[in-house]
Amino acid sequence: MTETEDKISQAREEIENASNIVILTGAGISAESGVPIFRGQEGLWQNYRPEELATLEAFWKDPKLIWEWYDWRRNAVKDAKPNPGHYALSELENNLQKVTLVTQNIDGLHQMAGSSGVIEMHGNLWQIRCTKCGDIEQNFDVPLRELPPKCKKCGEIGRPNVVWFGEMIEMSLIDSILKAIEECQVMLIIGTSGVVEPAASMGLVAKQANKTVIEINLDETPSAGLYDIVIREKSGEILPLLFTSNRTLS
Ligand code: NAD
Ligand code: ZN
């Protein structure tokens, strides 16, 4: 048995013995669907770092530029389809008493794969929120007709309904994630670089509460040393092997 096969079988055993699992996903799970990640060469947009663009300050400095970036991101996601990783997670819901799926992604691919009750920590790429009246519009236009888009109710400019660096995530969301971690036996952390808070600390919270933490990520991450099982492979290849009984690693 190779080292990876050994880890897969350990992870399968942990998952089979659990009735309640929390899953945290990041941009890596959508990489095999062709959606660019942030932290990698292909994640760069016109040589800007996401930290320079994804802030309220950057938005007010140049709303058109920020909307051009979001227009590009929406274009990158519009034809993307869920990959076997997303589907494996949605199937997991049928086999376990409780699955809480928390994502930092804003692409909506988990829902498209059939996952229910997804907690979107960072919002959604297909929603525009008015900067004045707060009205939220679902909008699937690619490209957008007007940059920046205007609110249909009050005419003010809209912003992406996402959480930017320096912005707060709703406390009720954080509370429900912490409660789910407290109640689970196993936490899976998939395709997240582990540098964006508060998601980055969720695995540590689980470890402090003595939960089994399994990480799947192509690259090294800052907290991997604390986790129980770490698999350095593509999530779209590994996840289907974790939850079905009759497959082997090719
Ligand atoms: P990130 O870009 O910082 O890190 C992605 C991680 O995925 C990296 O550690 C990389 O090694 C790993 N990875 C890449 N391909 C993989 C694969 N096939 N299988 C497993 N792992 C793989 O992403 P993050 O940690 O989610 O960063 C947080 C921010 O990025 C969030 O605010 C999120 O909203 C935003 N983001 C979202 C999307 C999306 O919605 N799809 C895309 C880019 C960025
Ligand atoms: Zn408005």
Side-chain angles (χ1 to χ4, degrees), residues 23-26 101-105 110 118-122:
I23 303 161
L24 172 68
T25 66
L101 178 49
V102 182
T103 189
Q104 297 171 85
N105 295 347
H110 283 303
V118 181
I119 301 179
E120 291 183 306
M121 283 181 82
H122 291 167

Side-chain angles (χ1 to χ4, degrees), residues 110-211:
H110 283 303
Q111 292 90 327
M112 214 190 277
S115 284
S116 60
V118 181
I119 301 179
E120 291 183 306
M121 283 181 82
H122 291 167
N124 191 295
L125 196 53
W126 303 108
Q127 292 174 352
I128 299 173
R129 186 169 89 231
C130 177
T131 54
K132 188 169 179 217
C133 76
D135 187 60
I136 293 174
E137 183 204 338
Q138 292 280 345
N139 180 309
F140 297 97
D141 294 343
V142 178
L144 282 157
R145 281 164 213 196
E146 188 185 13
L147 297 183
K150 301 268 172 17
C151 173
K152 291 214 168 76
K153 295 224 167 110
C154 77
E156 268 305 318
I157 67 172
R159 57 164 281 177
N161 190 28
V162 300
V163 179
W164 281 327
F165 293 106
E167 292 188 314
M168 297 288 286
I169 295 175
E170 248 180 74
M171 218 36 225
S172 61
L173 271 192
I174 303 285
D175 283 347
S176 54
I177 299 166
L178 293 177
K179 186 161 178 283
I181 293 176
E182 198 180 297
E183 290 171 352
C184 79
Q185 292 104 33
V186 174
M187 180 171 189
L188 286 175
I189 301 181
I190 305 161
T192 171
S193 55
V195 296
V196 179
E197 292 292 357
S201 296
M202 298 289 178
L204 306 184
V205 171
K207 271 325 300 168
Q208 271 165 3
N210 271 326
K211 313 296 178 177

Side-chain angles (χ1 to χ4, degrees), residues 26-28 30-32 35-39 73 104-107 122 191-194 196 216-219 233-235:
S30 295
E32 288 156 85
V35 181
I37 61 171
F38 270 2
R39 290 170 181 83
R73 295 183 67 186
Q104 297 171 85
N105 295 347
I106 57 176
D107 56 27
H122 291 167
T192 171
S193 55
V196 179
I216 301 167
N217 194 307
L218 267 183
D219 292 327
E233 302 280 342
K234 290 185 174 174
S235 52

